[in-house]
Amino acid sequence: MTGRTMLKPSVLLPLASLVMPFGLTASEKVIFAFRDPVPLAGLLTVLVAAIAVRLRPLPPWVDAGISLAAAVLAAAAPFHLLDQGYTLGTHAPGLWVMLAGAALVFWRALGILSAGSWPGRKAVVAGLFGLALVFVWEAGVRGFAVPRVLLPAPSAILAVMGPQSELLWADFQQTVLKAVLRGYLMGCLAGFVVAVIADRVPFLARGLLPFGNLVSAIPIVGIAPIMVMWFGFDWPSKAAVVVVMTFFPMLINTLAGLAASDRLQMDLMRSYAAGYWRTLVTLRLPNALPFLFNALKINATLALIGAIVAEFFGTPVVGMGFRISTEVSRMNLDIVWATILVAAVTGSVIYGALTLAERALTAWHPSARGR
């Protein structure tokens, strides 16, 4: 959707919200935007931002700044009304209509920022978009009074992370530092070594690949109890699950990467009288790096999921999977969501680190052009 097509709704929505209720007082009296300065300021700034760009084209930075400021002022309205003790939800259609207009203005600002060529624009746009999603979550849950057992607000999740930091840290150590990292390193390294051997011994690859497809089709809930029986309740059984889940993706991607060197490159190495290992180190492994990083990124996600799910089938009284399963039964959903947040941030950090390493090591590769 272009900025011009969004212009009319972004003007009409705040105008329509002027005559619609913004909430209900404790005495069940309907309030409107002009009765409170904060929602009125948000409404008027959204209106001004939408009309200003329609009357006269503005420099992109000015346009984006005005739009972002209007969106921020409008976003403050629901929390101010809740602090005043007003009931929102279905009693505040004007508020939600005004926020819909603010969303269009915010969308326009993101479009302007992402179209620029300044450094760091991708991170800024992604960060603003993430903040917008958190706002929708917070305002929706608090505005419609969603029960905490169904979906706690982000502020409630963050509030529980401080008092429960020692518990969350112990779970992080048990699941990530002991099970995930060790299983991830063992599984990826074993898959890489076996792939190199299978590349040297072709019949080994023909035998392993069908077996890899068979193992990949086995659900984790079938593997995890077996590993617990074999390796006990502590972290080795979870690391074993991670090894099984990460071994074959690395094996298959490494074999595909080793086969990626074209015939002309191989003929050039033969003309230099290069043997198998020299060709492997100087040509085939560098060409296989994009495939290896693909496997590492896929395995980073699989390892975390595998270890957490495996903890559902037996673990000491610590670990992310154990915490989720026990706190759900106690209806402590705040701690469950805090654990999920720690797992999500951990997975994102590992994935981001691998992406940065990939960009640094494969900048010369043709597949990196245009990134």
Side-chain angles (χ1 to χ4, degrees):
M1 184 179 292
T2 65
R4 187 165 293 280
T5 56
M6 289 167 51
L7 207 51
K8 288 183 179 178
S10 63
V11 174
L12 293 176
L13 288 174
L15 283 176
S17 67
L18 274 170
V19 295
M20 300 171 75
F22 266 61
L24 207 63
T25 64
S27 58
E28 298 191 351
K29 182 180 178 182
V30 175
I31 60 167
F32 293 88
F34 53 81
R35 297 287 300 274
D36 194 292
V38 174
L40 182 61
L43 190 155
L44 292 178
T45 50
V46 170
L47 199 56
V48 168
I51 292 176
V53 296
R54 184 170 176 79
L55 293 177
R56 182 178 182 180
L58 298 173
W61 279 102
V62 177
D63 192 347
I66 292 175
S67 300
L68 285 177
V72 170
L73 280 174
F79 306 120
H80 170 76
L81 294 173
L82 287 169
D83 290 341
Q84 297 297 315
Y86 298 139
T87 302
L88 303 182
T90 56
H91 302 290
L95 174 66
W96 308 123
V97 169
M98 182 199 71
L99 290 176
L104 296 179
V105 172
F106 180 74
W107 186 288
R108 175 183 174 78
L110 289 187
I112 295 171
L113 294 176
S114 61
S117 57
W118 46 282
R121 68 184 187 284
K122 291 182 179 178
V124 171
V125 171
L128 289 173
F129 190 78
L131 287 175
L133 293 180
V134 173
F135 164 76
V136 171
W137 182 357
E138 179 82 18
V141 169
R142 292 180 59 188
F144 286 90
V146 177
R148 297 181 74 169
V149 295
L150 294 181
L151 182 64
S155 58
I157 297 171
L158 292 176
V160 82
M161 293 187 74
Q164 301 293 339
S165 58
E166 290 187 10
L167 193 69
L168 295 172
W169 172 243
D171 293 339
F172 178 82
Q173 285 181 302
Q174 176 71 17
T175 302
V176 178
L177 300 184
K178 291 182 179 178
V180 172
L181 289 185
R182 294 176 187 183
Y184 178 78
L185 292 175
M186 288 188 287
C188 290
L189 183 61
F192 175 78
V193 171
V194 173
V196 173
I197 296 172
D199 178 71
R200 187 64 171 162
V201 186
F203 75 84
L204 191 59
R206 286 194 288 271
L208 277 175
L209 288 180
F211 184 66
N213 293 331
L214 179 67
V215 172
S216 299
I218 298 176
I220 186 174
V221 293
I223 297 174
I226 297 172
M227 294 297 126
V228 171
M229 293 291 291
W230 287 0
F231 298 101
F233 287 95
D234 210 343
W235 67 266
S237 58
K238 286 69 187 174
V241 172
V242 174
V243 169
V244 172
M245 294 186 70
T246 57
F247 176 81
F248 285 104
M250 176 57 77
L251 171 68
I252 294 169
N253 276 277
T254 305
L255 285 173
L258 292 176
S261 299
D262 60 36
R263 183 175 296 278
L264 286 177
Q265 292 171 324
M266 297 294 289
D267 289 343
L268 180 63
M269 294 302 293
R270 290 192 193 96
S271 70
Y272 292 152
Y276 173 81
W277 293 107
R278 186 178 177 188
T279 304
L280 180 71
V281 173
T282 58
L283 173 65
R284 300 178 69 199
L285 280 180
N287 276 335
L289 278 178
F291 293 87
L292 296 179
F293 275 105
N294 278 340
L296 289 173
K297 289 189 286 188
I298 292 170
N299 284 345
T301 306
L302 289 177
L304 199 56
I305 295 172
I308 291 175
V309 173
E311 287 177 348
F312 279 70
F313 295 91
T315 182
V317 288
V318 66
M320 291 181 174
F322 168 80
R323 194 66 53 206
I324 291 172
S325 62
T326 54
E327 298 302 333
V328 162
S329 61
R330 296 173 182 169
M331 304 299 284
N332 291 328
L333 273 297
D334 294 348
I335 299 178
V336 172
W337 279 95
T339 305
I340 293 172
L341 178 61
V342 171
V345 171
T346 302
S348 299
V349 169
I350 295 174
Y351 190 92
L354 288 171
T355 302
L356 291 177
E358 181 185 16
R359 289 186 178 182
L361 295 176
T362 64
W364 55 271
H365 197 274
S367 64
R369 291 172 188 164
R371 285 194 308 210

